[in-house]
Amino acid sequence: MAYEVPTPKYLRVLNTLRKRIEDGDYTPGAALPSENQLCTEFGVSRPTVLKALGILKQDGWIESQQGKGSFVRGRPASGRTSPDYARDAVELDETGETEILHVGPVLASPRIAAELEIPEGTPVYERRRRTVSEAGPVDLVATFVPVDIAVGTAITKAEPIPGGLLDLIARHKGLRADYATERMTARRVSEVEAEALAVPADESVMSVVITVHQSSGDPIMTSILVMPGSRHEIEDIYALS
């Protein structure tokens, strides 16, 4: 039986509140429902609501007043910006200093299935590339796109895509990237990665999983970026608009 991986609860709260602000349901200056009211409406715990409100506050959508609650500021001029490595992974023009290593359908691994909210083993299109410089390989990026988004576009072709995947998807599918979630882990390089990156077999690498979402919360694509180096696991969310 097919199953779907649900959107994290705090993202469901965050996306709904942000959409209400965008749609004008909550106008600038208006008070948001209390934390208890939000817990009841969404059927979630207080820490979940606080996490969603914290991100909205950091991104400039709302402000909090001691003892009074949270109030709407409106759509911010800009959200938290994504780090350079993340933008390179999901928006890089492939006609630059990149080598396309593989393009074609693959079966979604458990991790990719969870990120794209599809059943494990569902076919997806993979675009795997290596960024290179005069000094040698810089990183590896494997991007996975649902078939219904990839078909009918250059995503399924082996030629480099000018302008980046998100621009292409917006133009051909009308899907706008709004924010991205990220998980970063430090691990030992695999044999294939060591060869592609020209590093020792015992090298530590940073593996970054970046999933791009529409404002509705629906995922558009997910990328796995591998770079030499190490860092403790972290999670983050940031605006792309």
Side-chain angles (χ1 to χ4, degrees):
M1 179 178 178
Y3 66 90
E4 294 185 357
V5 178
T7 300
K9 293 179 180 179
Y10 78 91
L11 282 181
R12 181 162 56 87
V13 178
L14 185 154
N15 291 334
T16 300
L17 295 179
R18 182 167 55 184
K19 188 174 188 304
R20 290 174 182 174
I21 296 173
E22 288 183 313
D23 293 346
D25 297 333
Y26 296 153
T27 57
L32 289 182
S34 69
E35 293 169 7
N36 288 337
Q37 289 173 322
L38 292 173
C39 290
T40 300
E41 177 183 353
F42 292 97
V44 298
S45 65
R46 187 168 180 270
T48 297
V49 168
L50 290 176
K51 185 171 185 178
L53 293 178
I55 294 172
L56 287 172
K57 182 179 178 180
Q58 288 178 340
D59 285 350
W61 293 87
I62 65 174
E63 61 183 0
S64 59
Q65 298 181 16
Q66 185 68 31
K68 294 184 178 180
S70 298
F71 294 82
V72 176
R73 295 181 62 185
R75 173 180 275 277
S78 62
R80 286 186 293 163
T81 58
S82 53
D84 289 342
Y85 65 79
R87 286 199 171 271
D88 286 345
V90 300
E91 299 184 42
L92 184 67
D93 186 328
E94 293 182 343
T95 60
E97 296 179 335
T98 62
E99 297 176 355
I100 304 299
L101 304 179
H102 175 261
V103 175
V106 297
L107 301 181
S109 67
R111 183 57 185 275
I112 298 304
E115 293 293 331
L116 293 178
E117 301 177 14
I118 57 177
E120 181 182 342
T122 299
V124 294
Y125 267 93
E126 179 196 36
R127 294 187 67 86
R128 187 167 69 248
R129 70 172 189 266
R130 172 172 62 180
T131 306
V132 295
S133 68
E134 292 182 358
V138 176
D139 60 37
L140 295 174
V141 180
T143 297
F144 302 88
V145 184
V147 171
D148 61 333
I149 295 177
V151 294
T153 73
I155 292 173
T156 64
K157 300 178 181 179
E159 293 77 15
I161 295 176
L165 296 186
L166 291 181
D167 179 66
L168 180 145
I169 290 171
R171 286 186 287 107
H172 291 272
K173 297 293 183 173
L175 302 179
R176 176 177 172 270
D178 186 76
Y179 68 94
T181 56
E182 170 190 305
R183 181 184 293 272
M184 178 183 293
T185 58
R187 59 172 173 80
R188 178 74 59 85
V189 68
S190 71
E191 183 178 347
V192 173
E193 292 165 347
E195 181 178 356
L197 290 171
V199 297
D202 60 351
E203 179 83 357
S204 293
V205 295
M206 286 194 300
S207 177
V208 189
V209 180
I210 304 165
T211 301
V212 177
H213 301 259
Q214 303 177 61
S215 60
S216 64
D218 294 330
I220 295 176
M221 68 183 197
T222 190
S223 296
I224 299 179
L225 166 66
V226 178
M227 302 177 288
S230 63
R231 186 172 172 180
H232 293 297
E233 179 175 302
I234 62 172
E235 289 184 88
D236 201 2
I237 177 172
Y238 38 76
L240 290 174
S241 56

